[in-house]
Amino acid sequence: MNILLSVVFVVALATATPLPEEERPVIAISYGDVEVVKGDAVSTCESFADAPTISWDVEDGAVYAAVMYRAEKIEDDIVATGLHWLVVNVPGTDVANGKELVAYLPPTTPDDTGKYKFRVYKQTNPEISGELPEKFDLSEYTAANELGEYIASSHYTCVAPGRK
């Protein structure tokens, strides 16, 4: 069952991570013919209506969970976000054969800018159920499903047309 709505949640940033984000492997992201490089400022986000193709380094036989969310820093250690996509039980990088728990919600930046983050987690449990809590917290979700630290990441910023 797909959940087609924007889920708002809060993520408490970890104070100590084993590997800083800038040193983690990068998720390759493309929307059709448009490749998005980690950290890019993109002014064509309105054309990102369909879910992107994403890929990362995989281990043979491993299963992954992929998440996309909009991140906005509101305090030093708290980020308010909107969940834009959540797919679990992904064999390798075959996202189409994973279980989509939250249907892809395209970036939305009508008059502003928005930072969109992608994270991939290696699942220790090969089959995660499709149940989501009413209030989604990424840290709690990863802990409850024993996902541990994310193994790859990427992000881009959508810039509203005419803004820099």
Side-chain angles (χ1 to χ4, degrees), residues 52-119:
T53 300
I54 58 175
S55 62
W56 56 91
D57 293 336
V58 298
E59 293 179 20
D60 287 341
V63 179
Y64 299 89
V67 63
M68 173 189 173
Y69 60 95
R70 180 175 172 160
E72 295 180 44
K73 194 168 188 174
I74 56 175
E75 291 181 27
D76 286 342
D77 60 346
I78 300 292
V79 176
T81 64
L83 186 59
H84 280 255
W85 197 25
L86 177 60
V87 186
V88 298
N89 308 333
V90 177
T93 60
D94 190 0
V95 177
N97 282 317
K99 185 176 195 173
E100 188 174 64
L101 299 184
V102 175
Y104 175 74
L105 179 65
T108 53
T109 55
D111 299 316
D112 203 355
T113 61
K115 186 173 187 175
Y116 293 86
K117 293 187 143 210
F118 289 77
R119 287 186 176 173

Side-chain angles (χ1 to χ4, degrees), residues 6 9 13 15 27 56 61 63 73 76 85 88-89 91 110 112 115 119-120 124-125 127-128 151 163:
S6 177
F9 63 103
L13 295 176
T15 55
I27 300 169
W56 56 91
V63 179
K73 194 168 188 174
D76 286 342
W85 197 25
V88 298
N89 308 333
D112 203 355
K115 186 173 187 175
R119 287 186 176 173
V120 170
T124 55
N125 175 1
E127 187 68 30
I128 294 177
I151 56 103
R163 293 190 60 143

Side-chain angles (χ1 to χ4, degrees), residues 14-79:
T15 55
T17 56
L19 192 60
E21 182 167 347
E22 61 273 4
E23 294 178 24
R24 292 177 196 255
V26 174
I27 300 169
I29 304 169
S30 62
Y31 289 88
D33 294 337
V34 178
E35 290 186 27
V36 180
V37 177
K38 184 175 185 176
D40 270 358
V42 182
S43 62
T44 57
C45 291
E46 65 277 357
S47 67
F48 294 171
D50 296 322
T53 300
I54 58 175
S55 62
W56 56 91
D57 293 336
V58 298
E59 293 179 20
D60 287 341
V63 179
Y64 299 89
V67 63
M68 173 189 173
Y69 60 95
R70 180 175 172 160
E72 295 180 44
K73 194 168 188 174
I74 56 175
E75 291 181 27
D76 286 342
D77 60 346
I78 300 292
V79 176

Side-chain angles (χ1 to χ4, degrees), residues 121-164:
Y121 298 83
K122 182 179 172 191
Q123 294 180 204
T124 55
N125 175 1
E127 187 68 30
I128 294 177
S129 76
E131 295 183 29
L132 292 176
E134 188 174 315
K135 181 179 178 187
F136 186 88
D137 180 297
L138 185 57
S139 298
E140 289 176 10
Y141 184 79
T142 57
N145 289 284
E146 300 176 3
L147 295 176
E149 291 293 323
Y150 57 98
I151 56 103
S153 67
S154 194
H155 66 273
Y156 63 85
T157 302
C158 283
V159 182
R163 293 190 60 143
K164 294 188 181 205

